[in-house]
């Protein structure tokens, strides 16, 4: 119970910080963005963007920062991602992967035929695998394991953005941003920095910088495939 007690102590501090924040939110919400983040404990989803007040961001977390689920045998955009886009007039969707992703690593191993996971985890891998398979085939043959995973993290983010873009349920006026959170010094910035690698399906860094100069300093990808 010591862990729960610690969490509840943290909640006391939380209540002090947000006590005056719910007046206009008690009957509804209109978050500016929905973020889809890997549920890895090293990535503090809302805090990564400096958002610490209620109502700012609709947060979705799962292993592998997936935007899809299976419904009636078909792969569709997950309801927890769609909800704010359909019902709260949210116009920005951010897929946030991270360096050293365990879900991407497990999927990489599964595509090599090496997987032994409980059914629930295997289901998550099965949702990632079809989108990562082509990425694995495109990897340079001389890469070590860590470098391969880093590239597949970017590929997975791109794949999730594509799933959003291709969905008839995601409005064309929604901005789609693919990002990577780096705590392993892969991108050369600060630890915990968010790097933009994809905007509305565009992967070329120079094109993104020219089109969106307000985020130019954060546009940074290293795998061109």
């Amino acid at each position: 119970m010591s862990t729960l007690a610690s969490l509840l102590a943290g909640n006391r501090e939380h209540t002090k910080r947000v006590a005056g924040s719910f007046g206009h939110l008690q009957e509804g919400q209109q978050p500016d963005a929905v973020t889809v983040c890997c549920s890895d404990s090293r990535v503090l989803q809302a805090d990564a963007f400096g958002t610490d007040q209620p109502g700012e961001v609709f947060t979705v977390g799962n292993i592998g920062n997936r935007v899809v689920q299976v419904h009636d045998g078909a792969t569709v955009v997950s309801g927890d991602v769609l909800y704010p886009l359909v019902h709260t007039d949210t116009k920005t969707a951010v897929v946030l992967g991270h360096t050293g992703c365990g879900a991407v690593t497990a999927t990489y191993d599964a595509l090599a035929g090496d997987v032994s996971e409980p059914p629930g985890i295997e289901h998550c891998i099965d949702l990632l695998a079809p989108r990562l398979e082509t990425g694995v085939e495109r990897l340079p043959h001389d890469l070590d394991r860590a470098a391969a995973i880093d590239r597949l993290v970017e590929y997975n983010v791109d794949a999730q953005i594509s799933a959003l873009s291709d969905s008839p349920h995601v409005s064309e006026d929604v901005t789609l941003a693919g990002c990577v959170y780096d705590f392993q010094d892969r991108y050369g910035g600060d630890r915990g920095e968010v790097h933009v690698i994809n905007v509305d399906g565009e992967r070329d860094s120079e094109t993104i910088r020219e089109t969106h100069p307000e985020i130019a300093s954060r546009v940074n990808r290293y795998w061109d495939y």
Side-chain angles (χ1 to χ4, degrees):
M1 295 297 288
S2 61
T3 298
L4 177 58
S6 178
L7 292 172
L8 293 174
N11 176 251
R12 291 190 197 89
E13 298 305 313
H14 167 79
T15 61
K16 295 174 185 176
R17 189 176 68 252
V18 303
S21 302
F22 288 102
H24 66 295
L25 294 171
Q26 289 182 328
E27 303 303 325
Q29 59 174 323
Q30 285 190 304
D32 295 324
V34 53
T35 58
V36 188
C37 181
C38 188
S39 50
D40 191 296
S41 65
R42 297 166 292 184
V43 184
L44 305 176
Q45 182 170 184
D47 192 59
F49 294 104
T51 53
D52 61 358
Q53 291 299 310
E56 296 180 326
V57 175
F58 193 102
T59 54
V60 179
N62 56 61
I63 61 171
N65 41 273
R66 308 179 318 276
V67 304
V68 295
Q69 66 184 56
V70 174
H71 176 70
D72 286 343
T75 301
V76 298
V77 172
S78 177
D80 47 8
V81 179
L82 273 182
Y83 183 86
L85 301 179
V86 173
H87 291 293
T88 70
D89 200 34
T90 299
K91 297 301 184 185
T92 299
V94 180
V95 175
L96 183 63
H98 68 91
T99 53
C101 180
V104 170
T105 301
T107 306
Y108 176 65
D109 291 339
L111 289 168
D114 182 17
V115 62
S116 177
E117 298 286 359
I121 297 176
E122 189 171 339
H123 171 71
C124 296
I125 292 173
D126 288 344
L127 290 172
L128 289 172
R131 287 167 169 75
L132 285 182
E133 188 169 12
T134 302
V136 171
E137 293 171 354
R138 292 179 175 180
L139 289 171
H141 296 298
D142 58 348
L143 286 183
D144 62 27
R145 181 180 175 80
I149 299 305
D150 288 336
R151 283 159 176 75
L152 290 177
V153 164
E154 289 192 343
Y155 195 88
N156 181 48
V157 169
D158 292 335
Q160 304 307 317
I161 292 294
S162 292
L164 291 172
S165 179
D166 293 343
S167 172
H169 303 294
V170 177
S171 175
E172 291 184 358
D173 63 351
V174 173
T175 297
L176 306 175
C179 305
V180 177
Y181 180 92
D182 182 16
F183 55 80
Q184 295 182 328
D185 308 320
R186 299 290 198 259
Y187 288 79
D190 295 327
R191 288 181 182 172
E193 192 166 298
V194 172
H195 300 267
V196 179
I197 66 166
N198 186 317
V199 175
D200 292 329
E202 178 59 63
R203 305 194 316 263
D204 181 72
S205 294
E206 191 56 40
T207 301
I208 297 173
R209 292 188 190 103
E210 291 176 357
T211 308
H212 305 282
E214 67 278 21
I215 63 168
S217 65
R218 290 302 188 91
V219 177
N220 186 16
R221 75 175 298 146
Y222 59 77
W223 193 26
D224 183 18
Y225 55 86

